[in-house]
Amino acid sequence: MLVLGIESTCDETACAIVRAGREILSNVVSSQMDLHKEYGGVVPELACRRHIDVFIPVLQQALKEAGVTLAEVDLIAVAQGPGLIGALLIGLNAAKGLALGLNKPLIGVNHIEAHLYAALLSQPEAVVFPCLGVVLSGGHTALVKMDALGLYQPIAETVDDAIGEAFDKVAKILDLPYPGGPQIEALAKNGDPLRFSLKAGQVKGRPLDFSFSGLKTGVLYAVKGQNGQDARPFTNQDQSDLAASFQQVAFKDIIDKTLLAADKYQCQTLLFGGGVTNSRTLRAIFAERAAHLQQLWPPAGLSLDNAAMIAGLGFHQFQLKGRDTLHLEAATRMNFT
Ligand code: KG4
Ligand code: ZN
């Protein structure tokens, strides 16, 4: 079964062809980073316009690289949400138009769930259930117990900023370009992680939930002073030390809570998804502190937003639940099903 995956939830326009949920024939991603860089974050209106401009060329490229025609596609899987409403509508309407015109089944996929599937794409049998899904992306931070593909129990989430969002906002404070994660990781290599005393947020009565907005404010105060005015000259070394301190506190909080949750919910496997899992530093910390657990990380090219993960999960979802109708609606927020 050949599945065409379509992704347009935020600032990447992507199409992929995946055979039977595991063999990637093509995975084309058109990133809008250049467009949003100068604003320090994604501008929804600009994102939508760019999706419209590049969707057809991205689709054509994905078909060409895979060596298949639209007529040979068996299923169209599209990211239904969560995401920016205008951006979602472009991918969703393109998918509906293709499904209608080609008379092919359509399936809507949860983008976050697909991030978790990315680590399983080439080896879905590798996961040992129940496992703990760890979602670390620009828009979401969550822990979810997975009893099987499609059978999930949400455990924890962020009450304010997502972890990737926190990296991007801290980067902005430090005058670094968007997206901030890779910039901070690079800067932190030369920094002293113990130099600044920062704290990750704890949510009262919910020990597994995340809160990163206070940590971000801690970085702001370190740069500008408590009242935003008593800033002192900030050297390159200060900047590296602050990046290292922020990164270490944020990642320690994530691993502490992940280990607590794995223990509480008796999960022997961690399944990671989302753009922040690109971080070599994060992977190294987990390798050291969670060596007793099986760890499945997304391979290169599948951490950040892509359509191969949408096509891959779409295949399984179609087997489990059958097709969606053309009434499928975009969902800016979406729970795990
Ligand atoms: O999953 P993703 O492509 O977007 C959403 O679906 O939200 O993740 C993008 C996020 C950005 O916030 C980016 O700063 C972060 O992933 N990111 C990183 C790294 N590489 C990307 N964060 C920390 N360290 C990195 N090396
Ligand atoms: Zn994403």
Side-chain angles (χ1 to χ4, degrees):
M1 186 178 220
L2 287 178
V3 185
L4 164 63
I6 297 174
E7 156 65 38
S8 71
T9 57
C10 189
D11 59 342
E12 264 90 27
T13 320
C15 288
I17 302 286
V18 176
R19 179 177 283 131
R22 62 189 306 159
E23 189 191 347
I24 301 175
L25 303 187
S26 65
N27 186 22
V28 177
V29 181
S30 168
S31 169
Q32 306 183 356
M33 270 172 206
D34 57 321
L35 188 66
H36 303 290
K37 228 174 195 154
E38 65 175 293
Y39 305 100
V42 177
V43 183
E45 180 66 21
L46 295 180
C48 297
R49 288 189 211 165
R50 179 66 72 84
H51 283 307
I52 295 173
D53 289 344
V54 304
F55 178 75
I56 289 177
V58 167
L59 172 64
Q60 286 171 330
Q61 183 71 17
L63 291 166
K64 189 171 158 210
E65 285 181 20
V68 305
T69 63
L70 273 179
E72 289 170 311
V73 168
D74 299 301
L75 172 68
I76 295 162
V78 61
Q80 182 188 357
L84 302 170
I85 186 65
L88 286 168
L89 283 173
I90 290 153
L92 193 65
N93 283 320
K96 286 182 183 178
L98 287 166
L100 185 65
L102 299 163
N103 194 22
K104 309 275 182 186
L106 172 76
I107 186 113
V109 169
N110 180 325
H111 173 92
I112 307 298
E113 196 182 334
H115 265 306
L116 289 174
Y117 185 72
L120 295 180
L121 222 156
S122 56
Q123 42 160 9
E125 64 287 342
V127 68
V128 179
F129 293 109
C131 78
L132 186 68
V134 184
V135 181
L136 304 171
S137 79
H140 300 87
T141 304
L143 300 175
V144 49
K145 185 181 177 209
M146 303 170 69
D147 287 304
L149 268 187
L151 206 58
Y152 308 125
Q153 180 190 344
I155 291 176
E157 61 184 350
T158 174
V159 296
D160 42 56
D161 293 344
I163 178 66
E165 190 181 357
F167 269 88
D168 295 337
K169 288 179 175 170
V170 164
K172 204 169 173 181
I173 295 169
L174 295 177
D175 273 333
L176 301 167
Y178 171 84
Q183 308 281 339
I184 290 182
E185 185 177 22
L187 254 190
K189 286 203 166 71
N190 307 314
D192 172 5
L194 301 177
R195 161 91 188 280
F196 290 90
S197 122
L198 299 168
K199 258 199 185 144
Q202 303 304 327
V203 185
K204 213 172 166 203
R206 291 155 64 185
L208 298 176
D209 279 328
F210 301 95
S211 167
F212 296 112
S213 82
L215 174 57
K216 172 196 68 193
T217 308
V219 172
L220 183 70
Y221 286 169
V223 177
K224 295 211 159 62
Q226 294 267 359
N227 60 11
Q229 281 166 6
D230 52 357
R232 58 194 176 80
F234 219 66
T235 65
N236 288 347
Q237 190 58 50
D238 292 337
Q239 209 186 26
S240 296
D241 291 346
L242 190 49
S245 302
F246 160 75
Q247 179 178 255
Q248 147 151 317
V249 170
F251 285 168
K252 180 175 181 308
D253 185 60
I254 287 169
I255 189 160
D256 285 348
K257 289 172 180 168
T258 302
L259 291 178
L260 267 179
D263 190 41
K264 181 169 176 198
Y265 292 90
Q266 310 227 307
C267 299
Q268 298 299 320
T269 299
L270 303 177
L271 183 59
F272 294 91
V276 180
T277 66
N278 237 353
S279 168
R280 294 281 134 202
T281 311
L282 178 74
R283 293 186 185 214
I285 300 174
F286 267 95
E288 198 184 312
R289 284 193 53 200
H292 58 295
L293 299 172
Q294 184 194 23
Q295 296 176 34
L296 298 168
W297 295 86
L302 296 185
S303 291
L304 295 165
D305 288 351
N306 67 87
M309 66 184 191
I310 305 294
L313 182 61
F315 167 80
H316 291 282
Q317 208 162 295
F318 183 65
Q319 315 291 321
L320 289 170
K321 299 184 199 152
R323 66 201 286 169
D324 282 314
T325 70
L326 291 177
H327 295 296
L328 186 71
E329 285 191 24
T332 52
R333 297 173 155 269
M334 218 172 154
N335 292 328
F336 278 95
T337 40

